[in-house]
Amino acid sequence: MIDGVRTAHSRADWALVGALSFLVLGVAPLVGVNLYTDRSGGAESPAAEPVRTAQGSPVELAGAQLAAESQCLAEVMYYEARGEGLAGQKAVAEVVLRRIHNKNYANTVCGVVHEGVQPGRKSGCQFTFACDGSLNHKRDEEAWGQARLLAEKIMSGGVRLGNQTGSAIAYHSVGVSPPWSENMLRTAQIGNHIFYRFMPRDQVAQARQGSSADQSPPS
């Protein structure tokens, strides 16, 4: 009976782990990416934080992973869109979550959010706040609390994201025109952010040919 109980408990634990893992990696409808800077290097977690070996039961480890992913999602929504209202924060969340399902990026929320973070580096991160010192500044407690609650609900499935960004994989602030945007399809503008998705290869080639023709000297 003891062995049977242990087996049952073990199965239950791993079933819960699977459920939590599902929540961590893909519970919400996903959408998006931030390409403010070039993609030179990456990191799964902030460079200032030492890697720790997690200990505990499978359920505890899965719960800790879910909490960490929620924290990273809250950070990117807070620093990138805390003045953009609920729609703006959800749009940024769509972008982050879509990236974890794209082979060109990390497959965790924290990996995506902290991509490009390196010791002593102050630029070159996918999300500027991750390496420009913003994390060292005091947060607005009310806005931070709202971002954390929203992130937890998104990661747990309590809030399901739609597709308001039009399957975007990139965005930038209004008032700037980064070179990469010329080879992407604009999908939406939400608040002060303009969103994009990857352009099909044939359209990229056509766009480049058109650009070359425009730049050729008159005959």
Side-chain angles (χ1 to χ4, degrees), residues 67-82:
E69 296 285 86
S70 295
Q71 175 80 5
C72 289
L73 186 61
E75 288 179 350
V76 73
M77 291 193 301
Y78 174 84
Y79 288 105
E80 293 286 308
R82 64 181 178 276

Side-chain angles (χ1 to χ4, degrees), residues 3-210:
D3 290 340
V5 170
R6 288 177 177 173
T7 300
H9 285 175
S10 177
R11 289 175 179 172
D13 281 352
W14 283 109
L16 184 53
V17 170
L20 287 171
S21 298
F22 174 77
L23 293 177
V24 169
L25 297 178
V27 67
L30 309 179
V31 191
V33 157
N34 179 321
L35 294 175
Y36 281 121
T37 55
D38 61 355
R39 299 188 70 253
S40 51
E44 289 295 317
S45 59
E49 298 255 344
V51 176
R52 296 182 177 86
T53 301
Q55 297 181 350
S57 71
V59 173
E60 291 171 337
L61 295 178
Q65 176 69 10
L66 180 59
E69 296 285 86
S70 295
Q71 175 80 5
C72 289
L73 186 61
E75 288 179 350
V76 73
M77 291 193 301
Y78 174 84
Y79 288 105
E80 293 286 308
R82 64 181 178 276
E84 297 293 303
L86 188 61
Q89 292 188 43
K90 284 184 176 180
V92 168
E94 285 186 18
V95 164
V96 173
L97 294 175
R98 176 162 288 277
R99 275 197 172 189
I100 70 176
H101 290 270
N102 186 295
K103 64 182 180 180
N104 295 311
Y105 304 99
N107 61 2
T108 66
V109 173
C110 290
V112 167
V113 171
H114 294 288
E115 185 171 3
V117 175
Q118 295 179 10
R121 189 176 191 175
K122 295 184 179 180
S123 62
C125 295
Q126 289 290 294
F127 293 88
T128 306
F129 79 88
C131 60
D132 70 353
S134 294
L135 289 169
N136 298 323
H137 300 160
K138 185 178 180 179
R139 299 182 178 121
D140 178 284
E141 292 300 325
E142 182 178 357
W144 172 240
Q146 292 173 349
R148 287 190 64 184
L149 181 59
L150 178 58
E152 290 169 0
K153 288 182 176 181
I154 291 173
M155 294 303 298
S156 67
V159 169
R160 291 189 173 273
L161 301 178
N163 189 7
Q164 63 175 330
T165 63
S167 299
I169 197 72
Y171 70 81
H172 64 74
S173 297
V174 296
V176 300
S177 299
W180 55 260
S181 64
E182 297 178 1
N183 294 324
M184 302 189 77
L185 294 174
R186 176 171 171 167
T187 60
Q189 178 174 343
I190 301 172
N192 291 320
H193 289 133
I194 300 174
F195 294 82
Y196 299 82
R197 68 171 179 262
F198 290 131
M199 186 182 294
R201 291 183 178 180
D202 57 338
Q203 293 186 33
V204 172
Q206 292 175 7
R208 289 176 176 173
Q209 290 176 358

